[in-house]
Amino acid sequence: MKGGPYEVILRTLDPESPRESLLPELDRKPDPWESSMQATCECLSWRGALDNLERRHAEDALGESIYQAFPVRTRSLVVTAHALMDRGLITPEELRARMEMVRDRFNRE
């Protein structure tokens, strides 16, 4: 998969990211970005761009394979980006540019 269209997603993995290993680590109040992500997924499903059940199945499959090294709480995000690229709704270049915009915004603050 190296050099493929999903490389933009795979490069976001920080090797130092903590991995959840116990249920209490997974059973917590979501961070604000996670709540926003879920709302975005609901909107995508409502508009017919990405069905919630299909996305959850993809999270299970891709979360245990390609994105297994990602923390569990981030898998919804990376799988959604993966699915949107598969559907041609966003290109790797568009995703990379948007990620750079967000990083620049955080670095300014």
Side-chain angles (χ1 to χ4, degrees), residues 54-109:
E54 186 178 336
R55 177 182 52 83
R56 288 183 185 124
H57 287 307
E59 282 180 40
D60 291 343
L62 295 172
E64 293 303 319
S65 58
I66 297 170
Y67 301 118
Q68 184 177 17
F70 281 77
V72 171
R73 62 187 172 80
T74 65
R75 290 182 189 167
S76 180
L77 177 65
V78 296
V79 168
T80 298
H82 184 112
L84 294 175
M85 284 193 298
D86 277 353
R87 293 167 184 263
L89 298 172
I90 189 169
T91 66
E93 294 76 23
E94 291 169 325
L95 180 58
R96 187 176 294 109
R98 181 64 72 174
M99 290 167 50
E100 285 301 318
M101 287 172 47
V102 170
R103 283 187 188 110
D104 290 346
R105 190 176 330 146
F106 279 121
N107 289 334
R108 281 192 307 243
E109 296 175 2

Side-chain angles (χ1 to χ4, degrees), residues 32-47:
W33 72 266
E34 292 171 286
S35 298
S36 294
M37 174 64 195
Q38 289 305 314
T40 299
C41 287
E42 291 295 327
C43 290
L44 289 168
S45 181
W46 178 56
R47 290 296 188 178

